[in-house]
């Protein structure tokens, strides 16, 4: 299929964090494109020399190093992978309008949905009820796009028959919905209210490469519980315990 | 191939930097388009139909389909009309251009917004953040006339609002973030960018813009006080 020479694994190095959904996006993308890479686990609280060198101001993750040159931000990395390896499976659609649509909803995922989900996790009482409501409003918009007349009507995945850019962006992060549902005891993705979104998520999580990328739910639950405890004043020890246990993965 | 004027329509607002950014791109590529001025206090049915979620300008209509969000519109334009490319060819340079566009659009806009509207400590922190961001932009210009190199490109169009609207914001809200002595490369870039014909000939009138944003700021602050 591909006419490009084999890529030495040393060409690509990913600095990431095991529980970070943006890291998962890049890991999944690399797997889907069949690109070998080295992975370096970073502790966001104790950045490595490599991370400080390549992302000195933000120190945020993930960072993809290609022959030592850093590429930052998961969505920019995904575009970079398609630009650099166009003969490997493409993540983004080819048509400019479809690309614009995928990017629009990717922004929606990061600018609207993710903060709303995070707000559910970090709030309580009335604040949490408002946050849950906001998540539902956002999911409603996605549900509509998967339905008749929507941008993704009739598709199994946002990318069509196979998962693509938008599936990766939305999917790597959507598992937090199930985690928060359990930890916070709230209902976020009701299969009756959001049947298409629910079906999409189930199909996404069923993909081989996705199963290989996303951590086991019990590890994510443990992590989320520890962070929640810390937020509610359980102290740094609780979070550290959760993080350490889960990081041996 | 240049599109027929009826095929491309831009819904915009004269004072908006995001709208001008799209116009700069269209004009760089020689694309003919119909411009429709929106009254944002009284949004048109077309605007609400084509951008139902955000209800904002700019909206680009091409063959009846709507593209929203100015940076997405820029990429759409670049991918549809291939002459005078906005993004560079090399994948790493493309990633770098996208990085600086995101930086200008998210970080700098947010800091400027806070410096413009906030008070007290929140405001001083925002101004400090903005200064650091401008410093990063200044450093990125090392050895380059423009972010795109010898000529303006995608990153320049994305960062470009700072060349004109930062000064407007500083004047209206009474703060100083830009220091030409400390950031000579960025200061030179601002001058050079505004001198590029496509940019120079497509800016709103400064006094009118200052007036508009003064009024807008007063309105927003009054609404927030209620």
């Amino acid at each position: 299929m591909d006419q490009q020479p084999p890529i030495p694994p040393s060409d690509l190095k990913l600095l990431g964090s095991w529980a970070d959904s943006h890291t998962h996006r890049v890991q999944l993308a690399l797997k889907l494109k069949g690109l070998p890479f080295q992975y370096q686990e970073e502790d966001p609280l104790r950045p490595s020399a490599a991370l400080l060198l390549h992302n000195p101001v933000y120190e945020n993750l993930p960072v993809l190093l290609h022959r030592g040159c850093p590429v930052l931000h998961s969505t920019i990395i995904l575009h970079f992978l398609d630009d650099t390896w166009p003969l490997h499976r493409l993540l983004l659609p080819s048509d400019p309008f479809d690309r614009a649509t995928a990017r629009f909803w990717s922004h929606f995922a990061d600018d609207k949905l993710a903060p709303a989900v995070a707000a559910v996790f970090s709030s309580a009482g009335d604040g949490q009820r408002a946050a849950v409501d906001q998540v539902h409003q956002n999911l409603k918009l996605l549900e509509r796009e998967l339905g008749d007349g929507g941008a993704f009507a009739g598709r199994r995945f946002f990318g069509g028959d196979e998962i693509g850019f938008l599936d990766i962006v939305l999917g790597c992060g959507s598992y937090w919905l199930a985690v928060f549902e359990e930890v916070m005891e709230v209902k976020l993705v009701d299969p009756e209210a959001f049947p298409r979104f629910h079906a999409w998520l189930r199909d996404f999580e069923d993909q081989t490469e996705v199963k290989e990328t996303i951590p086991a739910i019990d590890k994510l639950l443990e992590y989320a519980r520890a962070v929640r405890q810390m937020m509610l004043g359980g102290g740094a020890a609780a979070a550290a315990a959760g993080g350490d246990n889960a990081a041996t993965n | 191939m240049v599109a027929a004027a009826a095929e491309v329509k831009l819904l915009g607002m004269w004072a908006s930097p995001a709208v001008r950014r799209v116009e700069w791109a269209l004009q760089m590529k020689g694309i003919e388009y119909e411009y429709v001025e929106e009254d944002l206090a009284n949004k048109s049915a077309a605007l609400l139909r084509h951008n139902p979620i955000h209800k904002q300008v700019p909206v680009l209509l091409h063959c009846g389909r709507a593209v929203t969000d100015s940076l997405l519109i820029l990429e759409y334009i670049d991918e549809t009309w291939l002459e005078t490319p906005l993004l560079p060819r090399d994948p790493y340079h493309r990633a770098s251009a996208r990085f600086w566009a995101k930086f200008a659009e998210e970080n700098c806009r947010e800091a400027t917004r806070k410096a413009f509207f906030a008070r007290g400590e929140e405001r001083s922190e925002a101004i400090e953040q903005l200064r650091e961001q401008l410093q990063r932009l200044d450093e990125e210009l090392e050895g380059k006339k423009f972010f795109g190199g010898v000529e303006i490109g995608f990153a320049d169009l994305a960062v470009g609002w700072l060349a004109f609207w930062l000064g407007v914001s500083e004047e209206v809200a009474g703060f100083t973030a830009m220091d030409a002595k400390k950031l000579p490369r960025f200061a030179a870039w601002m001058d050079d960018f505004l001198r590029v014909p496509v940019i120079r000939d497509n800016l709103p009138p400064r006094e009118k813009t200052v007036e508009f944003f003064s009024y807008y700021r007063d309105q927003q602050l009054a609404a927030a006080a209620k």
Side-chain angles (χ1 to χ4, degrees):
Chain A
M1 172 196 75
D2 75 88
Q3 264 130 65
Q4 288 173 286
I7 298 120
S10 56
D11 265 14
L12 282 171
K13 187 174 190 179
L14 177 64
L15 310 181
S17 178
W18 75 274
D20 170 40
S21 57
H22 290 208
T23 298
H24 301 152
R25 289 174 180 178
V26 180
Q27 287 172 314
L28 179 57
L30 288 163
K31 267 200 234 288
L32 289 170
K33 287 185 84 81
L35 298 168
F37 65 99
Q38 287 182 325
Y39 177 74
Q40 178 168 306
E41 175 68 19
E42 290 281 336
D43 176 353
L45 300 175
R46 291 190 289 265
S48 70
L51 181 56
L52 290 172
L53 173 68
H54 293 295
N55 196 359
V57 175
Y58 295 110
E59 298 176 16
N60 65 354
L61 298 167
V63 176
L64 182 74
L65 296 169
H66 179 227
R67 296 179 182 161
C69 295
V71 185
L72 307 178
H73 296 303
S74 61
T75 52
I76 294 178
I77 294 171
L78 263 49
H79 278 78
F80 173 78
L81 294 179
D82 264 5
D83 285 343
T84 311
W85 289 281
L87 298 176
H88 291 64
R89 174 171 163 178
L90 288 171
L91 305 169
L92 281 127
S94 325
D95 174 74
F97 186 75
D98 293 339
R99 290 161 77 86
T101 305
R103 288 168 179 145
F104 174 87
W105 288 103
S106 152
H107 285 200
F108 179 83
D110 284 344
D111 300 341
K112 301 268 184 243
L113 182 58
V117 174
V120 168
F121 186 64
S122 59
S123 57
D126 281 339
Q128 187 175 85
R129 266 183 287 280
V132 169
D133 211 57
Q134 191 57 50
V135 172
H136 290 163
Q137 294 305 319
N138 292 332
L139 289 178
K140 222 183 260 179
L141 292 171
L142 283 164
E143 183 73 21
R144 201 170 64 190
E145 293 303 324
L146 285 164
D148 294 333
F152 311 103
R155 297 191 199 182
R156 187 178 176 214
F157 297 112
F158 293 99
D161 294 326
E162 291 189 324
I163 61 173
F165 175 77
L166 185 55
D167 300 277
I168 298 169
V169 168
L170 270 168
C172 293
S174 287
Y175 44 76
W176 287 120
L177 292 164
V179 171
F180 293 171
E181 280 185 342
E182 181 149 340
V183 173
M184 312 300 297
E185 289 168 357
V186 291
K187 198 66 197 159
L188 293 173
V189 190
D190 181 349
E192 283 189 23
F194 310 108
R196 294 186 193 101
F197 184 84
H198 188 263
W200 162 77
L201 186 53
R202 188 200 54 219
D203 285 352
F204 173 80
E205 288 173 347
D206 222 29
Q207 300 291 292
T208 312
E209 295 90 348
V210 174
K211 285 199 261 212
E212 287 170 7
T213 304
I214 292 171
I217 190 124
D218 56 316
K219 292 227 162 15
L220 294 174
L221 278 167
E222 198 180 339
Y223 178 77
R225 286 197 177 105
V227 177
R228 176 78 180 167
Q229 263 240 289
M230 187 178 74
M231 279 176 173
L232 298 175
D244 283 343
N245 287 341
T248 53
N249 192 6
Chain B
M1 188 196 78
V2 171
E7 256 182 54
V8 183
K9 209 181 211 181
L10 177 63
L11 309 184
M13 192 266 163
W14 67 271
S16 158
V19 172
R20 292 285 167 169
R21 174 190 281 168
V22 174
E23 293 199 88
W24 296 335
L26 289 167
Q27 297 201 7
M28 276 174 75
K29 287 186 178 268
I31 299 164
E32 282 188 32
Y33 62 100
E34 187 193 329
Y35 176 81
V36 177
E37 178 71 16
E38 282 283 332
D39 174 1
L40 296 181
N42 192 13
K43 292 173 184 174
S44 73
L47 176 57
L48 296 175
R49 186 170 72 250
H50 292 300
N51 194 358
I53 296 174
H54 303 299
K55 307 181 173 64
Q56 284 169 350
V57 290
V59 176
L60 187 83
L61 296 169
H62 181 215
C63 303
R65 295 196 299 187
V67 185
T68 62
D69 187 322
S70 62
L71 289 183
L72 297 191
I73 295 173
L74 253 53
E75 292 218 56
Y76 176 81
I77 288 171
D78 213 27
E79 289 166 357
T80 306
W81 291 276
L82 304 179
E83 53 287 298
T84 317
L86 303 175
L87 274 167
R89 299 259 295 261
D90 172 74
Y92 184 72
H93 292 146
R94 288 166 80 85
S96 178
R98 289 186 169 118
F99 174 87
W100 290 108
K102 191 174 162 76
F103 182 76
E105 186 62 6
E106 293 177 9
N107 306 63
C108 302
R109 278 264 285 245
E110 182 57 19
T112 306
R113 196 187 59 82
K114 280 201 186 125
F116 192 72
F117 285 116
R119 296 244 144 96
E121 201 175 312
E122 198 190 344
R123 181 162 126 137
S124 2
E125 271 172 21
I127 295 168
E128 199 40 54
Q129 257 179 356
L130 186 49
R131 287 192 184 126
E132 283 167 18
Q133 290 162 358
L134 294 174
Q135 169 136 21
R136 288 207 70 201
L137 289 167
D138 183 85
E139 284 161 9
E140 175 59 19
L141 285 164
E142 170 68 41
K144 297 197 285 197
K145 185 178 184 191
F146 296 114
F147 293 98
V150 170
E151 291 183 346
I152 62 171
F154 183 82
D156 298 275
L157 297 184
V159 180
W161 67 270
L162 284 166
F164 183 83
W165 283 267
L166 176 59
V168 168
S169 305
E170 286 173 319
E171 188 177 325
V172 168
F175 69 92
T176 308
M178 179 54 192
D179 183 335
K181 285 210 185 78
K182 282 202 182 123
L183 308 175
R185 289 171 289 209
F186 192 73
W189 171 81
M190 286 169 94
D191 283 341
D192 288 335
F193 181 77
L194 294 175
R195 266 204 283 269
V196 174
V198 135
I199 309 299
R200 177 198 67 206
D201 297 340
N202 211 326
L203 290 168
R206 197 171 192 285
E207 246 182 70
K208 200 173 162 207
T209 311
V210 167
E211 233 174 77
F212 171 80
F213 279 103
S214 267
Y215 173 71
Y216 177 66
R217 182 170 186 262
D218 290 343
Q219 254 198 330
Q220 295 293 304
L221 291 177
K226 290 199 183 118

